[in-house]
């Protein structure tokens, strides 16, 4: 009977964007893609899709290449950032493969045209995919250097009229300091955009937070390592921090 009551409970949001880092796909490896981890995250996304929620995704590329690190090592920043964008396309294709193996129709939509492997970004077409209950994975960031995938996620969430941005991390919310280092770190249940900026809380970069604030887009920070956590939050359960 408990499952029936869960099914009856309508999800909090009808359309959301999930932002995850490339590092989330590494598993215990120090680099690259870990297929069992990709599949585990795909199962989390499917569980939310099964609730009838329309989902789009933005995945970082840090597990393959990080533009800032490349430029720090003497590579020209623009070139390094474009390499990072290509890394996000590889991650998006991996996630598409995992989702479609679970029976979830998925489209990879790239800000940099590469017709053989994914669709170009056309806003109206992407909205139609969501309306048809397909998962959209937005790849290649904004298509421009000097912008992070956090900013790309906030931009796409606004363009797709998502009701919230979900930021999947390795901790169950936003803390006043790193909970992995400080045992007395305190988790916020709710925190304002301005507090995040003033206290330099590591949620998203400043331009992404400002873009979310200006468009009244709430950011829900939760642990992607918690099985069933993503679907649970949409049913009003679980532990998370809401930035708004």
């Amino acid at each position: 009977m408990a499952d029936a009551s869960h099914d009856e409970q309508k999800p909090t949001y009808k359309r959301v964007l999930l932002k995850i880092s490339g590092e989330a796909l590494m598993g215990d490896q120090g680099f690259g893609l870990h297929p069992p981890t990709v599949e585990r995250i795909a199962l989390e996304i499917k569980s939310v899709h099964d609730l009838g929620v329309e989902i789009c995704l933005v995945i970082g590329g840090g597990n393959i290449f990080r533009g800032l690190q490349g430029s720090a090592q003497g590579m020209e920043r623009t070139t390094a950032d474009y390499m990072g964008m290509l890394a996000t396309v590889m991650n998006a294709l991996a996630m598409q493969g995992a989702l479609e193996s679970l029976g979830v129709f998925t489209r990879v939509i790239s800000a940099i045209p590469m017709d053989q492997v994914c669709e170009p970004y056309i806003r109206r077409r992407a909205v139609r995919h969501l309306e048809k209950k397909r998962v959209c994975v937005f790849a290649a960031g904004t298509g421009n250097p000097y912008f992070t995938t956090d900013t790309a996620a906030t931009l796409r969430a606004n363009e797709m009229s998502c009701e919230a941005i979900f930021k999947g991390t390795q901790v169950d919310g936003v803390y006043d300091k790193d909970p992995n280092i400080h045992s007395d770190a305190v988790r916020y249940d709710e925190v304002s955009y301005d507090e995040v900026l003033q206290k330099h809380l590591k949620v998203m970069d400043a331009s992404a937070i400002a873009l979310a604030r200006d468009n009244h887009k709430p950011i829900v920070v939760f642990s992607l390592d918690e099985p069933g956590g993503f679907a649970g939050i949409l049913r009003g359960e679980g532990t998370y921090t809401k930035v708004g």
Side-chain angles (χ1 to χ4, degrees):
M1 287 301 291
D3 288 338
S5 66
H6 273 168
D7 292 339
E8 287 161 21
Q9 196 168 349
K10 287 191 175 170
T12 324
Y13 302 109
K14 290 185 185 135
R15 181 181 292 175
V16 300
L17 183 139
L18 173 64
K19 164 67 172 67
I20 54 178
S21 67
E23 286 89 344
L25 307 183
M26 291 191 311
D28 295 330
Q29 302 172 159
F31 182 80
L33 287 155
H34 183 237
T37 301
V38 177
E39 187 180 347
R40 179 181 62 76
I41 294 171
L43 280 164
E44 293 289 314
I45 295 163
K46 182 183 186 299
S47 70
V48 170
H49 185 263
D50 289 346
L51 294 173
V53 178
E54 296 170 5
I55 309 169
C56 33
L57 274 164
V58 170
I59 308 172
N63 56 322
I64 297 169
F65 189 85
R66 189 175 284 286
L68 277 171
Q69 285 175 358
S71 59
Q73 290 165 10
M75 189 178 285
E76 200 251 325
R77 172 71 190 269
T78 306
T79 302
D81 278 358
Y82 277 122
M83 289 172 72
M85 287 181 226
L86 294 176
T88 71
V89 177
M90 294 168 74
N91 285 339
L93 291 171
M95 185 56 70
Q96 180 185 39
L99 283 166
E100 295 207 323
S101 73
L102 297 170
V104 179
F105 292 110
T106 308
R107 295 289 183 272
V108 173
I109 301 170
S110 171
I112 299 172
M114 45 185 89
D115 298 343
Q116 283 82 354
V117 292
C118 48
E119 292 184 11
Y121 177 71
I122 299 167
R123 191 185 70 83
R124 285 174 180 269
R125 188 191 289 177
V127 169
R128 281 296 289 141
H129 286 319
L130 290 174
E131 288 169 352
K132 290 178 179 178
K133 305 300 179 191
R134 295 166 184 157
V135 171
C136 290
V137 188
F138 295 114
T142 64
N144 302 290
Y146 296 96
F147 289 94
T148 65
T149 49
D150 279 347
T151 305
T154 314
L155 175 67
R156 296 291 183 242
N158 284 314
E159 289 182 297
M160 294 296 109
S161 303
C162 291
E163 295 169 329
I165 300 162
F166 277 69
K167 175 83 187 273
T169 67
Q170 291 171 320
V171 290
D172 59 356
V174 180
Y175 285 77
D176 60 348
K177 48 194 166 187
D178 190 340
N180 295 320
I181 300 169
H182 305 278
S183 59
D184 61 341
V186 178
R187 185 181 60 80
Y188 297 94
D189 283 327
E190 286 203 26
V191 63
S192 70
Y193 303 111
D194 290 333
E195 261 187 288
V196 168
L197 292 170
Q198 286 160 10
K199 295 179 179 175
H200 303 287
L201 301 174
K202 290 179 180 175
V203 178
M204 289 178 155
D205 63 70
S207 55
I209 295 291
L211 187 59
R213 179 192 61 194
D214 295 347
N215 293 278
H216 312 292
K217 203 68 66 180
I219 302 165
V220 178
V221 183
F222 72 106
S223 171
L224 205 58
D225 292 340
E226 185 68 36
F230 187 18
I233 292 166
L234 281 153
R235 289 194 301 253
E237 305 160 5
T239 308
Y240 57 91
T241 299
K242 186 175 180 180
V243 181

